[in-house]
Amino acid sequence: MSKVYADAQSALDGLLRDGMSIAAGGFGLSGIPENLIQAIRESGVKNLVIASNNAGVDDFGLGLLLQDRQVTKMISSYVGENDLFMQQFLAGELEIEFNPQGTLAERLRAGGAGIPGFYTATGVGTLIAEGKEHKEFDGRTYILERGLRMDLGIVKAWKGDAEGNLTYRKTAMNFNPECATAGTVTVAEVEELVPVGTLDKMAIHTPGVYVQRLFQGSHEKRIENRTTRAA
Amino acid sequence: MPWDRNQMAERAAAELQDGFYVNLGIGIPTLVSNYVPANYNITLQSENGMLGMGPFPTEDEVDPDLINAGKQTVTELSKTSYFSSSDSFAMIRGGHIDLSILGAMEVSETGDLANWMIPGRLVKGMGGAMDLVAGVKRIVVIMDHANRKGEPKLLRECSLPLTGQGVVDRIITNLGVFDVVEGGIRVVERAPDVSLADIEAVTEAALVD
């Protein structure tokens, strides 16, 4: 059984359904699974619950799924780059569960690692702690956060092979390794599909066991905040 | 004369010690990197997954796969390492980062920090700020002493939702340097020609010796 598919649409075939939960890699617009997001948009699937650090911008990234109101709830740490998000949220059309960035990353990591919950000092004494179990360890107070397991993980890597082994490039790694493990099924899009055996075996970030399907995509890699200095 | 943005950043750079691993927030805190003493080995952490952050790129060096936590393009250094978000926050939450310098909307006299939302108006999210203030060894805030309406930002209690409770160690404003101590806020240093009366006029928090 091959893990390799021709494109995003075929790689998602049979996996999408209304109301499902999706963990999407990326930080801002960097390292986002652009091809898979586009294919999810075209599928018309609705009522999605999406865990992703950000919500894209109005016309790119996960913002595309907001345009057609395909998302019911976002689990994110920061959505300040997306005006459409703000409009839908303030109009009560979209639910947001804010998670501190490190808590979100650890929830996905823990979920993928079979850990149903963990204690963290992050958010103690804030709105985030309301309704959560508090426990003291060694004189400091912590709150219980739950591991996150999602129906589908969608990730973007630099290079991948037919076994599903993935490597990421620079800060485009971000949440992708966590989302790969948190997905009950994970689909990866790669910039380069390379022959098995050519990746450095000691530098594989996501071992193939976490990836059920993958394909080589084409990537716009839009830059959100181009900042330069004089040469 | 109150300090301007760059002078506040320059003053904040005096908080650095040789060998420190440091996380700088967005805005004025980012400017602190311009004032790192040349003989110091300082490593900047960017919470999206990078240790050893370099300066902004030249036009030719721009790489969409290389950004900082403010989504700005940056460069790498020879010492740079990259890692995932959970690894990044493991080093933050685990107390491995020496210092975080970040902005604030409000700070209370007990070191509470509010910098992530204004209910009903501004709903952007906390990003990594809650993890940073909970996990980094020392927290320094840079902010204007008063808001745009001239109202104090150093308060008895924060009015906005908190980012962290009792987490701030030191505050650097345009008027001076302040420490959170037992009983209130201690004036550590005043900007040139700023009097204690000038500070008291725009401070709600209790000032103590």
Side-chain angles (χ1 to χ4, degrees):
Chain A
M1 193 180 88
S2 173
K3 292 184 178 184
V4 178
Y5 288 75
D7 54 25
Q9 196 188 354
S10 57
L12 288 170
D13 187 42
L15 297 181
L16 299 177
R17 57 183 162 75
D18 289 350
M20 77 186 308
S21 60
I22 301 176
F27 177 84
L29 298 181
S30 187
I32 58 172
E34 318 178 6
N35 296 264
L36 287 161
I37 291 168
Q38 186 63 43
I40 290 170
R41 181 189 194 177
E42 285 160 11
S43 79
V45 67
K46 298 271 190 207
N47 298 325
L48 299 174
V49 174
I50 299 185
S52 187
N53 190 58
N54 309 101
V57 295
D58 288 3
D59 64 342
F60 199 61
L62 291 172
L64 295 174
L65 303 185
L66 299 180
Q67 285 183 2
D68 295 337
R69 293 184 158 65
Q70 290 172 272
V71 184
T72 312
K73 178 180 174 181
M74 289 291 306
I75 304 172
S76 303
S77 84
Y78 189 83
V79 296
E81 293 102 353
N82 193 317
D83 293 333
L84 194 61
F85 186 102
M86 206 67 71
Q87 287 167 25
Q88 292 186 14
F89 173 75
L90 292 173
E93 297 166 353
L94 181 61
E95 189 187 342
I96 170 82
E97 179 187 323
F98 278 120
N99 279 195
Q101 192 174 336
T103 294
L104 177 58
E106 190 63 15
R107 290 186 70 194
L108 291 163
R109 194 201 71 81
I115 295 171
F118 58 93
Y119 291 96
T120 176
T122 300
V124 170
T126 76
L127 292 175
I128 297 305
E130 286 178 7
K132 289 176 183 161
E133 184 200 328
H134 287 57
K135 190 164 177 168
E136 203 167 292
F137 295 92
D138 306 320
R140 190 170 185 197
T141 303
Y142 297 78
I143 53 173
L144 177 66
E145 294 282 4
R146 296 294 310 273
L148 263 184
R149 192 84 186 199
M150 307 296 274
D151 297 322
L152 175 67
I154 56 172
V155 303
K156 187 260 167 181
W158 179 35
K159 294 180 181 178
D161 66 22
E163 292 294 323
N165 296 310
L166 305 178
T167 62
Y168 307 95
R169 189 171 174 276
K170 304 191 176 185
T171 56
M173 182 186 317
N174 55 63
F175 280 82
N176 283 297
E178 289 81 7
C179 290
T181 67
T184 301
V185 175
T186 290
V187 182
E189 59 181 69
V190 299
E191 287 178 53
E192 259 183 85
L193 188 63
V194 300
V196 172
T198 60
L199 291 172
D200 179 350
K201 294 172 181 59
M202 292 184 286
I204 288 169
H205 298 118
T206 295
V209 69
Y210 296 112
V211 178
Q212 282 68 47
R213 302 181 181 187
L214 80 163
F215 64 96
Q216 182 172 301
S218 62
H219 295 90
E220 177 185 334
K221 292 200 190 183
R222 194 185 293 188
I223 294 175
E224 203 163 333
N225 197 349
R226 176 184 286 263
T227 308
T228 57
R229 66 185 152 93
Chain B
M1 279 284 286
W3 287 320
D4 64 21
R5 292 162 56 88
N6 285 303
Q7 289 167 320
M8 287 159 72
E10 187 174 4
R11 175 58 190 81
E15 304 295 318
L16 303 171
Q17 291 177 31
D18 191 17
F20 262 18
Y21 289 85
V22 181
N23 183 292
L24 300 177
I26 295 164
I28 302 177
T30 304
L31 300 175
V32 175
S33 61
N34 296 334
Y35 300 98
V36 177
N39 58 334
Y40 277 21
N41 182 18
I42 298 291
T43 303
L44 297 179
Q45 202 255 13
S46 188
E47 65 265 28
N48 52 318
M50 177 183 199
L51 261 182
M53 184 168 57
F56 295 127
T58 61
E59 199 57 48
D60 292 344
E61 292 171 334
V62 167
D63 183 343
D65 292 338
L66 184 40
I67 62 171
N68 65 16
K71 283 99 180 177
Q72 295 172 303
T73 44
V74 292
T75 54
E76 64 183 19
L77 305 169
S78 52
K79 67 176 172 184
T80 297
S81 58
Y82 299 107
F83 34 82
S84 71
S85 294
S86 59
D87 279 337
S88 180
F89 283 92
M91 64 183 78
I92 289 169
R93 206 188 300 102
H96 305 279
I97 304 297
D98 297 294
L99 172 68
S100 177
I101 303 178
L102 68 178
M105 296 173 186
E106 297 175 346
V107 176
S108 82
E109 63 188 32
T110 54
D112 295 351
L113 169 70
N115 74 351
W116 75 280
M117 79 175 285
I118 302 174
R121 214 147 61 78
L122 178 78
V123 190
K124 292 188 171 192
M126 71 292 284
M130 284 192 183
D131 307 279
L132 284 160
V133 299
V136 172
K137 287 178 195 157
R138 183 170 166 79
I139 301 296
V140 173
V141 162
I142 303 187
M143 65 177 191
D144 283 326
H145 206 94
N147 65 22
R148 288 196 184 113
K149 293 182 203 157
E151 298 160 345
K153 295 174 69 170
L154 256 178
L155 305 171
R156 299 204 83 101
E157 278 180 36
C158 293
S159 65
L160 298 170
L162 297 186
T163 307
Q165 200 171 42
V167 293
V168 176
D169 296 296
R170 174 165 280 192
I171 305 114
I172 296 171
T173 76
N174 49 324
L175 300 186
V177 179
F178 307 87
D179 275 353
V180 178
V181 297
E182 196 65 39
I185 300 292
R186 190 168 67 87
V187 184
V188 176
E189 201 177 314
R190 286 180 277 123
D193 302 322
V194 170
S195 70
L196 197 55
D198 293 337
I199 290 168
E200 283 168 343
V202 285
T203 305
E204 186 199 277
L207 294 172
V208 298
D209 286 333

